Amino acid sequence: MKRMLMTLGAVLTIGVAAPVSAIGATPKDVLVIGKAADPQTLDPAVTIDNNDWTVSYPAYQRLVRYESKDGKGLSSVTGELADHWTVSADGLVWEFKLKPGNSFADGIPVDAQAVKFSFDRLVKMKQGPGEAFPDDLAVTVVDPLTVRFTLTKAFAPFLYTLANNGAGIINPAVVANEKNGDNAQAWLSGHTAGSGPYQLTAWQKGQSLTLEPNPDYSGPKPAFAKVIVKIVPEASARRLQLEGGDLDIAEDLPLDQVQALSKTAGVDIGTYPSLRVTYLYLNNKKPPLDKPEVRRAIVKAIDTGAIIDGILLGNGKAMGGPIPDGMWGYDPTITPVTADVKEAKALLAKAGASGAKLSFALSDRDPNWQPIALAVQANLADAGVTVSLENLANATYRERLGKGEFDIAIGNWSPDFSDPYMFMNYWFDSSKQGLSGNRSFYSKAAVDDLIRKAAVAATQDERTGLYNQAQHIVVDDAAYVYLFQKNTQVAKRDTVKGYVFNPMLESIYNIDTMSKAD
Amino acid sequence: MTGLSGVPEGVPQIRRGIGAIDWHRLTWQMRRSPLAVVGLVIIILVLIAIVVVPAWLPIDPNRINLRARLAGPSWVHWFGTDEVGRDILARVLHGGRISVGVGVFVVVVSASLGTMIGGLSGILGGWLDTLVMRLMDVVLAVPSLVLTMALAAALGPSLWNAMLAIALVRIPVYVRLARGQTLVIREADYVKAARVFRATPLQILRWHVAPNILSPILVQATLDLGAAMLMAAALSFIGLGAQPPAAEWGAMIAAGRNYILDQWWYSAFPGGAILLTAVGFNLLGDGLRDIIDPRQKARS
Amino acid sequence: MSFLTILRRRLGFLILVVIGVSLITFAISHMIPGDPARLIAGDRASDAAVAAIRQKLGLDRPLYVQYGLYIAGFVQGDLGTSIRTGRPVAEDIIAFFPATLELVIAALMLSVLLGVPLGVASAVWRDRPIDHAVRSFAVIGISTPAFWLGLIVLLLFYGRLGWLPSGGAIDPLISPPAHYTGFDLVDAVIAGNAAALVSVVKHLILPAATLGFVHVGIVARQIRSAMLDQLGEDYVRTARAGGLSRSRVVLRHALPNAMIPSVTVLGLAFGDLLYGAVLTETVFAWPGMGNYVVASIQALDFPAVMGFTVVVSFAYVLVNLLVDLAYIVLDPRIKEIG
């Protein structure tokens, strides 16, 4: 009781008398990351959201990881848990030799059994991340440090899928936390059980997550004794906290805020070209958009340059074709279309679609979608096309996309693994129509043929050639309106050193090799 | 005598029962209630601003001008511009039509439906009355924003659905109010007399009950106008209400929140507009209640 | 009517509310267009994979079976598994609900502490400037959009002045007190953790003040009206005539009697505050139900939305039941009948 009274007394004196200083730089061995929303689940076999990966990615290791060179993240991969690997001539059998000496946070070594356990679990659960892997994947333990994957069909991008968050290797000991046959999903949703440099030690729901170093991590000892992920939903508050030094990194800031921050002393804005593409789906199955001339007219009418300058404040790169710059297979000869209202009108008149009325579906998932939609609405109005905007709840919006109940819709796409397959095969294969990827409901036998060949071809040269042919066809068919690849902007305190951006790892920080200067 | 139409004859004095409106007395009393007058003046000014002014203000609230984005208040744009260069003054004025319109719609729908249900329930009594009241209790037991959020999410986010949802949530308030008053009036001799003459429940409601419960309903409705408007703004703020490019005050604040540090005018003007209008309705409703409430009338 | 009869009847109503509310929410959440199985599987999953998940979740069963299973689970304290987080809904609610309750109670206390004196002053000096001032303040309170006010005070007290933290319930760099009750404030006091307590209090001020601001006016208005009723009563006049001082009559006699009917208003205010809390929390990063439920609605997380609605409604009815019982105990007139 006395203690309670003393505590109350302390509050009254300290809390009222002393002003709370907002300028409190965080300690040198603590990194504080400000996030807009609480992660949902940390289970590698369940989460498909980069917002969750900030926490789960550094907690697990994978067979391979993305390389970086001179402070720049690359899309090529190198071994992480794997020392080296071999692949059979037909591309069906992959054998990985593991590095010895890697351990989970409870000291148990990472072996072939753990790899098998993780992939079996992933394939069995069949949730979001499992989709990137062939569903006929067979995993066998050859010896404690050798694991073999057998596919029934060649799948050229297989190696790249192994660097995914979903391919994280989980400690088989988690089965002790299994409830009602849920594969320990409820437990792994809120805990981590990996061999990565950091482990989750506390999660105050809706408020903060604390990561601390894994004592058994085999790599060099990380600089931060604690990494705190703080949930700050209000963008203006995130900016203020970064300015005040309460945050070291602030995520998801609106462009205008970033621009204002770039003039703030002590704040450092990194701008990096990303592989996140914003584009418009044109429903190829629904008249009048089933006619290529009408689609070409829409492409011609939209002033992408003005959208990038006006809405992205120049922080984007206009696209001409489906494969973005920075991904192998990108063709610089396919240049972005320049807007031409007259030509758009002429094309529409030729197709007998002048004065068409189209719907435009969007959701509030991305704050830029609404201004883009408004700009597109105005552009198309100039060409005589009336566009009505439908702002839907995200779930409803996705359902409409899946069923093809829209004329025009807007979307973002980022690759799960670093292979043009993510763009070409998902967007244009007629068997992937709907939400799975081909959201324009595009269908052409010649393209199907080319991209399916490219998915199994042995060499990258051969694959590049096939994808290139396909790109020229689909661009001519105006299957989508390719708007831009957005720049990723990372706002951080200038004391934070060693951050490496990798376009494949948005919202993921290399916290094991980052540090803070005095 | 009750005529064929159910109009009571020869009992004019019952029109001025416990809750009837005495317009003469009302205007006289209004002068003694400065707050109510302030409220009334605010409402009249707001109505002029949103109904009359946009008619001759030559600015399209939805015209985009990316070159003039986020411009501060100036002679060209009195309230500044938003992130795609639309004029905020024009949007606030047009948005007012939506925001105030929502309030009016919600109140008219919920007050008329609620009064009807409550009145009939009170007149009929019995198990039907019990059933209706239990149902209303259940609806009242759910926090109103949650129910409106769930309904708006179920029906799809649109202003229309948000309005329906808010109206639905407000109905029980009127049902209770109307029923309470009806139970008192039901026992009055003239209503008993009307029953003897086989007036239908609807006729009793129309000719005997409604005139007598009108003023408490009116007071409640005036107070609700502000509340309904705020609720619609709240739904729009979390993305379940008005949809783009419609200018609605709550939606404008929601969009402006990301610019509040450098472009204060974006959310300040719609916010101020909501505040002013809600103050107007609430002052008026408060004043009316003071004047009309029989308990307080006795002492004034 | 005896106390017990009232109690029994009200408890019966509580059950009715749970059934009614769960039925309404269940119906609503299944009217929502969109497929939760698709959300789990991810956009890029095949239809077969989605169908498999739908079957696993039991979403392919007839609605009445799903509802029956839900109620059966509910009786055993099982609110189902959240689709979004993969954790039991009950666990999530236990993690989030105390914070909301803490905020609501703080706001309620604030509104009573400020609202009662204002209401008394307003009644005692009726139609004087102070009355107009209090009533204007009350009107401005209920007319202010809480979400907008929240943004403004956040900018002022954190951004400009730097006096108070910008959000959250406790500084993440301070080790939080052990969980005894789930209420950070109470836990910090029990643990005798001064640093945590200071941090918790600082974090609580802005959201509680924002939320309470609206209700100061409501409480003041209610007290004013009840006080006016009391001041008009015969006993007040008798007491005054008998030579008791005005302040003594007002504070010792009229106020306690005026408080009794006002107690029921607190129960109703609790519901309004819960509604306000949802909006305030989103602005102040308060780790309560607000952000959780908005995210759940957006993700079509039926079990989470239902669990939230049922639990909140249950709490609301329960609070009102307690308030009514307190009223019966407090009010001598009702006791006489019982």
Side-chain angles (χ1 to χ4, degrees), chain B residues 41-66:
Chain B
V41 170
I42 292 177
I43 295 307
I44 290 171
L45 288 178
V46 166
L47 287 180
I48 290 174
I50 65 177
V51 177
V52 183
V53 176
W56 50 264
L57 193 77
I59 308 173
D60 178 354
N62 293 325
R63 208 182 70 91
I64 295 172
N65 179 5
L66 288 176

Side-chain angles (χ1 to χ4, degrees), chain B residues 1-298:
Chain B
M1 284 291 113
T2 302
L4 278 178
S5 60
V7 182
E9 291 162 14
V11 278
Q13 74 278 15
I14 58 120
R15 289 283 192 98
R16 257 195 299 281
I18 43 169
I21 300 174
D22 181 338
W23 291 105
H24 181 72
R25 190 187 162 87
L26 190 69
T27 40
W28 183 75
Q29 293 248 359
M30 277 285 278
R31 263 175 261 155
R32 283 191 45 203
S33 175
L35 291 182
V37 175
V38 172
L40 190 65
V41 170
I42 292 177
I43 295 307
I44 290 171
L45 288 178
V46 166
L47 287 180
I48 290 174
I50 65 177
V51 177
V52 183
V53 176
W56 50 264
L57 193 77
I59 308 173
D60 178 354
N62 293 325
R63 208 182 70 91
I64 295 172
N65 179 5
L66 288 176
R67 253 160 305 177
R69 62 192 299 276
L70 297 171
S74 64
W75 283 113
V76 188
H77 301 288
W78 289 9
F79 285 7
T81 60
D82 68 6
E83 81 276 23
V84 283
R86 293 173 296 194
D87 183 75
I88 290 182
L89 173 62
R91 289 181 70 72
V92 166
L93 295 179
H94 281 265
R97 294 178 168 195
I98 300 177
S99 292
V100 177
V102 169
V104 172
F105 173 88
V106 165
V107 166
V108 167
V109 168
S110 56
S112 49
L113 275 179
T115 308
M116 196 122 95
I117 295 171
L120 284 178
S121 181
I123 292 168
L124 294 170
W127 63 268
L128 190 74
D129 184 37
T130 315
L131 183 75
V132 168
M133 293 319 289
R134 286 306 115 197
L135 193 67
M136 292 302 140
D137 283 342
V138 171
V139 176
L140 273 176
V142 190
S144 49
L145 186 79
V146 175
L147 192 59
T148 40
M149 272 165 63
L151 272 174
L155 303 170
S158 77
L159 189 64
W160 177 246
N161 291 338
M163 290 198 302
L164 287 181
I166 299 168
L168 191 73
V169 172
R170 300 304 299 174
I171 286 178
V173 176
Y174 293 95
V175 172
R176 282 187 153 188
L177 193 62
R179 177 175 171 275
Q181 302 275 333
T182 306
L183 288 184
V184 178
I185 295 165
R186 192 171 70 166
E187 301 308 320
D189 288 340
Y190 62 89
V191 177
K192 285 186 179 157
R195 282 225 181 116
V196 174
F197 288 102
R198 310 241 163 135
T200 65
L202 266 179
Q203 285 168 338
I204 295 178
L205 181 67
R206 169 69 187 84
W207 297 110
H208 301 287
V209 176
N212 288 299
I213 62 175
L214 206 58
S215 59
I217 300 275
L218 196 72
V219 171
Q220 183 65 42
T222 313
L223 289 168
D224 262 6
L225 276 169
M229 201 181 72
L230 284 173
M231 210 183 240
L235 280 180
S236 297
F237 183 73
I238 54 178
L240 296 175
Q243 299 304 314
E248 194 272 346
W249 291 342
M252 287 177 74
I253 297 178
R257 71 204 290 197
N258 281 341
Y259 301 92
I260 199 164
L261 289 171
D262 302 306
Q263 289 85 24
W264 56 270
W265 57 87
Y266 193 163
S267 56
F269 287 110
I274 295 188
L275 178 61
L276 185 72
T277 313
V279 163
F281 282 126
N282 282 319
L283 280 178
L284 185 63
D286 239 18
L288 285 180
R289 181 167 56 185
D290 244 23
I291 292 164
I292 288 171
D293 189 336
R295 282 188 312 139
Q296 311 225 343
K297 196 157 65 181

Side-chain angles (χ1 to χ4, degrees), chain A residues 283-291 359 404-407:
Chain A
N283 195 331
N284 285 221
K285 272 210 301 217
K286 231 174 135 191
L289 292 172
D290 55 342
K291 292 188 185 138
S359 72
E405 290 168 2
F406 63 93
D407 295 325

Side-chain angles (χ1 to χ4, degrees), chain A residues 20 127-128 189 207 241 398-399, chain C residues 34 40-41 85 162-163 166 169-170:
Chain A
V20 184
Q127 297 218 11
S189 165
Q207 212 177 167
Q241 293 197 12
R398 278 143 65 120
E399 176 151 302
Chain C
I40 294 180
T85 69
W163 289 356
S166 81
I170 188 171

Side-chain angles (χ1 to χ4, degrees), chain C residues 14-196:
Chain C
L14 202 57
I15 294 168
L16 185 76
V17 164
V18 169
I19 294 173
V21 165
S22 63
L23 207 56
I24 292 175
T25 330
F26 186 82
I28 288 174
S29 50
H30 285 83
M31 274 154 58
I32 300 178
D35 182 354
R38 168 58 76 180
L39 288 177
I40 294 180
D43 287 348
R44 298 166 191 176
S46 67
D47 290 344
V50 175
I53 289 173
R54 201 175 293 134
Q55 194 190 359
K56 205 172 90 186
L57 294 173
L59 292 170
D60 55 341
R61 303 213 199 165
L63 283 185
Y64 63 89
V65 176
Q66 288 187 47
Y67 182 72
L69 288 174
Y70 182 81
I71 287 295
F74 182 83
V75 173
Q76 297 160 31
D78 176 10
L79 299 177
T81 304
S82 161
I83 290 170
R84 197 166 60 89
T85 69
R87 292 184 293 265
V89 171
E91 196 180 290
D92 280 347
I93 288 180
I94 289 169
F96 290 113
F97 196 52
T100 296
L101 216 53
E102 193 169 21
L103 177 60
V104 166
I105 291 171
L108 201 62
M109 279 163 61
L110 196 75
S111 55
V112 170
L113 286 179
L114 284 176
V116 171
L118 287 179
V120 170
S122 185
V124 171
W125 291 286
R126 188 173 189 217
D127 286 332
R128 301 274 188 80
I130 188 163
D131 184 26
H132 291 309
V134 169
R135 292 172 66 193
S136 307
F137 177 74
V139 163
I140 290 174
I142 55 169
S143 306
T144 308
F147 48 90
W148 185 58
L149 180 68
L151 289 172
I152 293 171
V153 297
L154 181 74
L155 291 185
L156 184 63
F157 288 97
Y158 175 76
R160 290 268 181 273
L161 300 172
W163 289 356
L164 292 166
S166 81
I170 188 171
D171 189 331
L173 291 173
I174 290 178
S175 52
H179 270 241
Y180 299 105
T181 59
F183 298 97
D184 281 340
L185 194 67
V186 181
D187 288 346
V189 173
I190 295 176
N193 184 342

Side-chain angles (χ1 to χ4, degrees), chain C residues 135-337:
Chain C
R135 292 172 66 193
S136 307
F137 177 74
V139 163
I140 290 174
I142 55 169
S143 306
T144 308
F147 48 90
W148 185 58
L149 180 68
L151 289 172
I152 293 171
V153 297
L154 181 74
L155 291 185
L156 184 63
F157 288 97
Y158 175 76
R160 290 268 181 273
L161 300 172
W163 289 356
L164 292 166
S166 81
I170 188 171
D171 189 331
L173 291 173
I174 290 178
S175 52
H179 270 241
Y180 299 105
T181 59
F183 298 97
D184 281 340
L185 194 67
V186 181
D187 288 346
V189 173
I190 295 176
N193 184 342
L197 185 56
V198 170
S199 178
V200 168
V201 170
K202 279 184 203 162
H203 281 81
L204 190 58
I205 293 173
L206 283 187
T210 303
L211 187 55
F213 177 68
V214 175
H215 281 267
V216 172
I218 293 176
V219 172
R221 212 146 73 159
Q222 166 62 27
I223 291 287
R224 174 182 184 269
S225 150
M227 279 296 286
L228 286 177
D229 283 344
Q230 291 298 325
L231 292 176
E233 294 281 336
D234 289 340
Y235 78 89
V236 172
R237 286 183 211 149
T238 317
R240 287 281 284 151
L244 284 178
S245 75
R246 182 180 161 91
S247 62
R248 192 179 165 84
V249 173
V250 168
L251 295 178
R252 284 290 176 83
H253 300 281
L255 182 59
N257 283 327
M259 291 291 276
I260 294 169
S262 308
V263 166
T264 51
V265 177
L266 289 185
L268 297 174
F270 179 75
D272 284 348
L273 283 166
L274 276 175
Y275 141 68
V278 170
L279 292 168
T280 316
E281 283 174 2
T282 56
V283 174
F284 288 104
W286 190 257
M289 299 293 303
N291 285 314
Y292 177 75
V293 82
V294 171
S296 297
I297 287 182
Q298 278 163 355
L300 301 182
D301 192 343
F302 303 152
V305 173
M306 283 187 67
F308 167 75
T309 324
V310 173
V311 167
V312 167
S313 310
F314 190 83
Y316 177 56
V317 176
L318 197 68
V319 165
N320 276 292
L321 169 65
L322 294 177
V323 163
D324 285 0
L325 293 180
Y327 182 64
I328 293 168
V329 173
L330 284 175
D331 193 333
R333 278 169 300 181
I334 295 186
K335 216 185 282 175
E336 272 165 34
I337 306 169

